[in-house]
C-alpha cells in the first residue's frame, strides 16, 4: 500500500527510520534509511533475511547495469548543459506556471532537432564499448566538425548478452533504428551501433 515515489517515517525494532519507494532498481524496490550507528547491524539483518528467500546483496555495478537496461539517468547523463528536452522529459516542465529552469529551457538553441538527445546504443558486434566515446555518421570522416554526440554510460547486459550504452545524439529520438559509428581513440574502439530507445528493458 506504500505509494510509488512515496516516503515516510517508520520504525524498525523501535528505531526511527525512513522508507522510500524511489529506487531505480525496480518499481517494487524500496530504500530504507536508518541512523548511521545502526547501518552495519541493519545491513546484516537484511542480508540474512534475503538469504532465507534465496536472495542476497548486490553492489553498485549490478545497480548500474539495472539502471542502464531500464534507461534511468544519473549524474552521468545530467549535467549543466542538459535540458528536460534533451532527456525526453519536456512535457514535465510546467506550461501554465513558472518553475526553476523554465526561462532557460525556452532560450533559442536549447530545444529542437539540432540538440543532442538521449538514446540507447547497441553495438552490432560483440565489441566492448566505453563511456566517453564519440558518435559519427558511418560515412563521415572522424573529426570534430562531424561529431554527432557522445556516450555517457555503458554496461555489459547479461539479459541481452551484449554491451549497452546511453548516449546523447543529435536529433536522437528521430534516429531510432539507424546506425552510428562509435569511435573511442583512448580504447582504440571503432564500431557500428544501432540507435535505440534509451529504455532497453521495461
Amino acid at each position: 500500500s506504500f505509494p510509488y515515489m512515496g516516503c515516510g517515517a517508520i520504525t524498525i525494532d523501535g528505531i526511527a527510520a525512513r522508507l522510500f519507494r524511489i529506487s531505480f532498481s525496480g518499481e517494487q524496490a524500496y530504500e530504507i534509511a536508518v541512523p548511521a550507528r545502526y547501518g552495519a547491524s541493519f545491513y546484516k539483518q537484511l542480508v540474512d533475511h534475503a538469504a532465507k528467500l534465496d536472495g542476497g546483496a548486490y553492489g553498485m555495478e549490478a545497480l548500474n547495469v539495472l539502471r542502464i537496461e531500464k534507461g534511468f539517468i544519473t549524474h552521468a547523463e545530467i549535467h549543466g548543459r542538459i535540458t528536460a528536452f534533451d532527456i525526453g522529459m519536456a512535457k514535465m516542465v510546467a506550461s501554465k506556471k513558472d518553475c526553476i529552469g523554465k526561462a532557460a529551457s525556452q532560450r533559442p538553441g536549447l530545444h529542437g532537432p539540432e540538440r543532442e538527445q538521449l538514446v540507447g546504443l547497441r553495438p552490432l558486434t560483440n565489441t566492448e564499448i566505453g563511456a566517453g566515446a564519440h558518435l559519427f555518421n558511418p560515412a563521415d570522416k572522424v573529426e570534430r566538425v562531424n561529431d554527432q554526440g557522445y556516450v555517457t554510460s555503458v554496461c555489459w547486459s547479461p539479459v541481452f548478452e551484449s554491451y549497452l550504452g546511453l548516449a546523447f545524439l543529435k536529433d536522437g529520438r528521430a534516429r531510432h533504428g539507424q546506425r552510428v559509428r562509435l569511435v573511442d581513440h583512448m580504447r582504440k574502439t571503432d564500431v557500428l551501433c544501432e540507435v535505440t530507445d534509451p529504455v532497453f528493458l521495461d
Side-chain angles (χ1 to χ4, degrees), residues 15-27:
I15 306 301
R18 289 202 174 273
L19 179 66
F20 305 89
R21 192 172 168 200
I22 56 173
S23 177
F24 55 46
S25 56
E27 287 88 348

Side-chain angles (χ1 to χ4, degrees), residues 8-19 32-38 42:
I10 61 169
T11 58
I12 301 169
D13 293 334
I15 306 301
R18 289 202 174 273
L19 179 66
I32 302 171
V34 296
R37 64 186 174 276
Y38 299 108
F42 183 53

Side-chain angles (χ1 to χ4, degrees), residues 15-180:
I15 306 301
R18 289 202 174 273
L19 179 66
F20 305 89
R21 192 172 168 200
I22 56 173
S23 177
F24 55 46
S25 56
E27 287 88 348
Q28 296 181 34
Y30 297 80
E31 296 179 10
I32 302 171
V34 296
R37 64 186 174 276
Y38 299 108
S41 172
F42 183 53
Y43 175 77
K44 184 180 183 318
Q45 286 181 350
L46 287 175
V47 171
D48 290 347
H49 183 68
K52 294 173 188 170
L53 301 171
D54 294 326
Y58 64 90
M60 290 304 295
E61 182 64 22
L63 185 64
N64 197 45
V65 170
L66 290 168
R67 73 102 183 163
I68 291 172
E69 288 176 338
K70 187 78 173 171
F72 283 178
I73 57 179
T74 66
H75 63 281
E77 287 76 39
I78 305 172
H79 51 70
R81 299 177 313 204
I82 298 302
T83 69
F85 173 83
D86 300 335
I87 57 175
M89 296 187 178
K91 290 182 180 177
M92 293 185 73
V93 178
S95 61
K96 296 182 178 167
K97 61 181 181 180
D98 198 16
C99 62
I100 294 172
K102 184 173 182 177
S105 72
Q106 295 171 341
R107 291 179 181 162
L110 291 182
H111 47 82
E114 70 282 358
R115 292 286 297 180
E116 294 165 342
Q117 301 162 5
L118 184 67
V119 297
L121 294 176
R122 287 185 72 173
L124 298 184
T125 59
N126 193 14
T127 304
E128 183 175 356
I129 59 175
H134 281 258
L135 306 173
F136 299 87
N137 292 321
D140 287 350
K141 191 173 180 181
V142 177
E143 51 188 37
R144 186 187 57 78
V145 293
N146 295 327
D147 195 302
Q148 295 291 298
Y150 57 96
V151 182
T152 57
S153 297
V154 169
C155 73
W156 167 259
S157 168
V159 172
F160 293 97
E161 296 184 346
S162 169
Y163 284 93
L164 302 176
L166 296 177
F168 284 96
L169 177 67
K170 287 182 181 176
D171 201 17
R173 285 189 288 277
R175 297 171 72 173
H176 293 180
Q178 294 182 15
R179 294 178 178 184
V180 293

